[in-house]
């Protein structure tokens, strides 16, 4: 689960991680009150959406830049008016963009130097890793590729937590000294506590900055959480912004379906994540384009299949459907009956190819055949994928 | 032989009195697996009954292991308690804990994995279908089935299968059995980012097992575990290996069902992993329908008989 920058910074403050003073506004009517809490002077205006590349983004109304520097609060108010309620397109949003529903005002800090700091899971060692660099404000992938010697990593032993010597080591390698070193050490320790205590999946601060007066601040904040751990963090669940999520994915989750929309025109409905991914792959392999990832889990009950069909058919690009079920434990005949009922209930008009395999498959295929529905049976995944690709191309 | 478990392995089931655990306990008993104990705190002294089977239930793993000689546990307990259930197996000194549970917080697994360091217990999973060593009876009856895989699709033989995904494993096993090629052991290592046993760990076991003549290695996007296994295979393994990677069409940054199936960089894409497979002499299945055939091609090239 992702949260907005302004929410992440409020969380940072709770854990004692210093950030520039800021205030969020959810409508133009709230601009004055938000700005009143900030001192007069240079102010940043930042569009709040769950996507990166905001600074270089363009609004669909032609206004350029989702993050702007303003010399005065009056200017900031005017600029915020051009952002709120409008749609921002960035490299990460796709062409449809995201509607900006919150604008965040912050004091524009004097920047002495920019750094990079992130905390996430290192999968190879199964330990939290702190990644830091002297090259902040740029894409970290580029730093890792071009100048790996400027990227520092510290693995944290989960049994003991972040050790002081590790923080000192990091501070030294980043070149901090004096008051900056002390402040940076404190910030890193607090940020790690925030990561660990909140079950964060990733915290990224890019840039982390120093100011001419020796302050160390998190100028930006990107935070995501482990969705498996949300049950023990109601305060974080409360930060969820459904406006930032695909309504079809939200609907799918109500039926324990895992659904992700893609750009293609062949929808698929599969049991199991690995099989669902490879069903998308095999559609592409035979020249089609998958419209979605959809994992119905181990069961594939009639209600789930009905819900899945409805969600799939909500995508106007879909021209055909491939159902691929390996009924290991589940009786294929029960699944087939569910599919037939679901097709009748939603009045499916599109080409449908069903590939069933596993337990009691002969009876299942017979049920599909006896249904009188215009569905096509596929024997193997390859056979089924080729059939649906051909039907959709016709 | 087989790896990890044999048809004689005695297993206990944590969460046997729950719907999920109970259903699969019955299927394992029907398969002929030696399910000798159940564990549900507070229900010690009761029995889990199925047909002629009467499986005693204990309050703790230690009690169950001591009384029955069980050496392996299948864990079906809900996510908030699953980390603790794994640690209980470690404390009881079991050989193997197989965590079927899906949805365990990453932090819990990070701590559990650290606590298991240097201990004798091996962990398989979590979020995995389990492990099957097929038996010699009809539809491979008489084997050891731990977890949720359909037992009947297996056949005893000489191929090892290791995978992150449940249904994709069944797909591979089904293809093999349909071609009359049997399996030594089929291992699901699970779809989470932190798991107890890696692809490489299992590949090493298969490589050392004289009965295993060839292997199918099934991976997916996210992480670099498949790459690590492939490089080791190139340097150390003479047996034929076929590989498949799911997720070539998955968009970057989106989690595809499995918590670990997410492209985060340039190294963990399907294309990158497939390139390493090829470089390491692994025969790549071009589609999931091609997994058994890919292994046959690899075996033929090395002059190895799989049946």
């Amino acid at each position: 689960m992702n949260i907005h920058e302004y929410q992440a910074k409020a969380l940072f403050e709770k854990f004692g991680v210093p950030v520039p003073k800021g205030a969020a506004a959810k409508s133009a009517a709230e601009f004055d009150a938000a700005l009143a809490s900030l001192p007069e002077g240079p102010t940043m205006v930042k569009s709040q959406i769950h996507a990166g590349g905001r600074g270089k983004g363009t609004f669909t109304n032609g206004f350029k830049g989702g993050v702007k520097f303003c010399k005065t609060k009056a200017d900031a108010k005017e600029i915020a008016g051009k952002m709120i309620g409008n749609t921002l397109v960035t490299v990460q949003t796709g062409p449809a963009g995201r509607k900006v529903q919150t604008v965040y005002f912050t004091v524009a800090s004097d920047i002495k130097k920019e750094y990079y700091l992130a905390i996430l899971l290192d999968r190879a060692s199964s330990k939290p890793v702190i990644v830091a660099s002297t090259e902040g404000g740029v894409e970290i992938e580029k730093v890792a590729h071009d100048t790996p010697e400027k990227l520092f990593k510290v693995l944290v032993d989960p049994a003991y937590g972040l050790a002081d010597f590790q923080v000192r080591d990091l501070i030294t390698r980043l070149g901090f000294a004096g008051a900056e070193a002390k402040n940076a050490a404190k910030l890193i320790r607090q940020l790690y506590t925030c990561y660990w205590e909140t079950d964060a999946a990733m915290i990224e601060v890019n840039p982390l900055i120093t100011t001419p007066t020796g302050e160390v601040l998190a100028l930006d904040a990107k935070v995501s959480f482990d969705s498996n751990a949300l049950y023990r963090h109601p305060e974080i669940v409360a930060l969820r912004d459904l406006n930032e999520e695909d309504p079809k994915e939200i609907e799918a989750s109500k039926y324990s379906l895992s659904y992700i929309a893609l750009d293609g025109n062949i929808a698929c409905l599969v049991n199991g994540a690995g099989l669902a991914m490879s069903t998308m792959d095999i559609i592409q392999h035979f020249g089609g384009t998958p419209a979605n990832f959809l994992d119905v889990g181990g069961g594939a009950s009639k209600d789930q299949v009905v819900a899945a069909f409805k969600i799939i058919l909500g995508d106007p690009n879909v021209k055909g459907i491939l159902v691929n079920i390996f009924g290991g434990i589940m009786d294929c005949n029960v699944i087939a009956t569910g599919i037939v009922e679901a097709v009748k209930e939603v009045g499916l008009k599109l080409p449908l190819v069903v590939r069933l395999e596993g337990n009691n498959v002969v009876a299942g295929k017979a049920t599909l055949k006896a249904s009188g529905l215009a569905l096509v049976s596929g024997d193997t995944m390859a056979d089924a994928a080729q059939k649906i690709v051909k039907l959709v191309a016709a | 032989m087989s790896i990890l478990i044999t048809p004689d392995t005695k297993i206990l089931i944590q969460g046997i009195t729950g719907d999920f655990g109970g259903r699969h306990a019955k299927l394992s008993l029907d398969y002929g697996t030696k399910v000798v104990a159940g564990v549900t705190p507070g229900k010690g002294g009761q029995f889990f009954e199925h047909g002629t089977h009467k499986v005693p239930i204990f309050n703790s793993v230690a009690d169950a292991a001591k009384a029955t000689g069980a050496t392996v546990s299948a864990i079906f307990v809900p996510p908030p308690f699953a980390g603790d259930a794994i640690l209980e197996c470690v404390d009881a000194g079991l050989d193997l804990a197989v965590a079927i549970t899906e949805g365990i917080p990453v932090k819990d697994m990070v701590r559990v994995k650290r606590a298991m360091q240097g201990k004798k217990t091996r962990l398989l999973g979590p979020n995995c279908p389990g492990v099957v060593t097929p038996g010699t009876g009809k539809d491979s009856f008489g084997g050891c089935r731990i977890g949720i895989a359909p037992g009947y699709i297996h056949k005893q033989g000489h191929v090892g299968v290791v995978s992150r995904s449940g249904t994709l494993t069944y797909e591979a096993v089904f293809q093999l059995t349909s071609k009359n090629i049997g399996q030594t052991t089929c291992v699901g290592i699970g779809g989470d980012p932190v798991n107890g046993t890696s692809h490489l760990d299992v590949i090493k076991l298969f490589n050392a097992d004289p009965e295993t003549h060839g292997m199918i290695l099934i991976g997916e996007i996210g992480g670099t575990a498949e790459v690590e296994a492939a490089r080791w295979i190139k340097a150390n393994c003479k047996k034929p290996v076929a590989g498949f990677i799911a997720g070539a069409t998955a968009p970057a940054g989106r989690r595809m069902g499995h918590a670990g199936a997410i492209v985060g960089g340039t190294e963990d894409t399907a294309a990158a992993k497939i390139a390493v497979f090829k470089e390491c002499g692994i025969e790549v299945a071009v589609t999931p329908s091609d997994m058994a055939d890919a292994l046959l091609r690899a075996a033929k090239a090395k002059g190895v008989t799989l049946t």
Side-chain angles (χ1 to χ4, degrees), chain A residues 6 17 31 70 84 87 99 120 129 132 152 162 220 248 252 296 322 339 372 382 385 387:
Chain A
Y6 79 94
V17 175
F31 288 169
C70 299
I84 195 114
T87 301
K99 191 173 171 185
L120 65 161
V129 62
F152 312 115
L162 180 61
D220 197 7
K248 285 185 286 181
V296 295
L322 172 58
I339 292 170
K387 280 177 174 161

Side-chain angles (χ1 to χ4, degrees), chain A residues 225-246:
Chain A
F225 299 95
D226 175 8
S227 48
N228 288 345
L230 288 174
Y231 74 88
R232 56 191 178 203
H233 297 288
E235 77 290 358
I236 284 161
V237 176
L239 302 177
R240 186 172 173 192
D241 182 354
L242 292 177
N243 290 319
E244 292 287 334
E245 297 177 30
D246 182 340

Side-chain angles (χ1 to χ4, degrees), chain B residues 176-262:
Chain B
L176 289 168
T177 301
S178 301
K179 291 177 190 297
N180 212 26
I181 303 168
Q183 307 91 40
T184 42
T185 305
C186 301
V187 187
I189 60 171
D192 277 2
V194 176
N195 57 11
T197 297
S198 69
H199 279 107
L200 177 56
D201 295 332
V202 179
I203 292 288
K204 283 180 178 171
L205 294 172
F206 279 138
N207 196 45
D209 172 34
E211 286 298 309
T212 300
H213 299 172
M215 310 163 211
I216 297 182
L217 166 60
I218 305 169
E220 58 193 36
I221 51 167
T224 53
E226 295 87 348
V227 168
E228 179 198 32
R231 298 220 192 279
W232 188 90
I233 287 168
K234 186 184 182 186
N236 301 286
C237 177
K238 294 192 168 52
K239 297 179 182 182
V241 182
F244 179 74
I245 299 288
T249 48
R254 296 303 310 268
R255 175 179 133 164
M256 309 304 282
H258 287 157
I262 179 166

